[in-house]
Amino acid sequence: ANVALMLNIVVLLGVMCSIGTTLTMPGIAGIVLTIGMAVDANVLIFERIKEELKEGKTLKTAIDSGFIRAWSAIRDSNFTTLLTCAILFYFGTSIIKGFAFNLAAGILVSMFTAITITRTLLYAFVGTRFEKNLALFAVNKEKKPFDFNWMKYSKLFVGIGSVVVAGSIGIIALFGLNLGID
């Protein structure tokens, strides 16, 4: 995942350099958001692979099933972000257009690296001695899952949430909102 993430950044910067993109603060924000989305895609993939390995499947089968199971969530989040980028690019000013472009380019590169590079790197483990070492994939069949009684503290959480919401409403009423498009 780390190697794929580094390649994601290198490819994205290469794409940006090849078309002469100027790197601005909003553009950097688009890149940072892209990195977050790339990390999210890899987390989804690895969690699905881990679930498959816990069920006793082989590494190759777990990789194939993990990518298939993670694809719908990755696809939906990335296509929604691309749609948002298109809207921002169409309606935004030059600064917003730079953010939207960098984010859209980053999302497309991220989808490529998460699906292609990560899968290729994982297939390199198939048939090696590392394949049988499930600890490398954070799989521990004997470990008890995290168990926390959220309902026991529900009144506390609702109270904290209510204080935060009331405070937010008070601050909005006191200072108002800045309704600029940026």
Side-chain angles (χ1 to χ4, degrees):
N2 291 336
V3 171
L5 184 59
M6 285 187 279
L7 286 172
N8 179 23
I9 295 167
V10 169
V11 171
L12 176 59
L13 292 175
V15 167
M16 291 173 59
C17 288
S18 69
I19 59 175
T21 304
T22 302
L23 195 57
T24 61
M25 288 302 284
I28 293 170
I31 293 170
V32 169
L33 191 53
T34 294
I35 293 168
M37 301 257 323
V39 168
D40 181 55
N42 279 304
V43 167
L44 288 169
I45 291 166
F46 279 90
E47 285 300 314
R48 297 302 164 265
I49 291 172
K50 189 165 46 169
E51 289 171 1
E52 299 294 324
L53 288 171
K54 283 181 181 178
E55 292 178 8
K57 294 183 179 177
T58 66
L59 181 59
K60 184 175 184 331
T61 305
I63 292 170
D64 292 336
S65 299
F67 273 87
I68 290 169
R69 291 182 54 212
W71 171 243
S72 64
I74 295 169
R75 179 196 61 222
D76 292 348
S77 64
N78 287 331
F79 287 153
T80 303
T81 304
L82 286 173
L83 179 62
T84 304
C85 289
I87 293 168
L88 287 173
F89 194 83
Y90 182 76
F91 289 109
T93 60
S94 63
I95 293 172
I96 300 300
K97 286 183 179 187
F99 169 77
F101 177 80
N102 284 355
L103 181 58
I107 293 299
L108 294 173
V109 169
S110 170
M111 287 175 60
F112 168 75
T113 57
I115 300 302
T116 307
I117 304 296
T118 303
R119 185 184 302 222
T120 302
L121 292 172
L122 282 170
Y123 278 144
F125 285 106
V126 175
T128 67
R129 63 186 172 96
F130 300 111
E131 180 176 8
K132 301 296 180 195
N133 188 355
L134 295 180
L136 290 175
F137 301 97
V139 176
N140 186 355
K141 293 182 180 182
E142 292 81 30
K143 187 176 179 183
K144 183 182 174 193
F146 177 72
D147 187 22
F148 182 78
N149 187 358
W150 293 96
M151 295 309 294
K152 180 179 176 185
Y153 300 101
S154 63
K155 291 179 183 174
L156 173 67
F157 296 141
V158 169
I160 292 170
S162 299
V163 168
V164 170
V165 169
S168 299
I169 291 171
I171 290 172
I172 290 170
L174 186 63
F175 296 107
L177 294 174
N178 180 358
L179 299 177
I181 190 167
D182 296 347

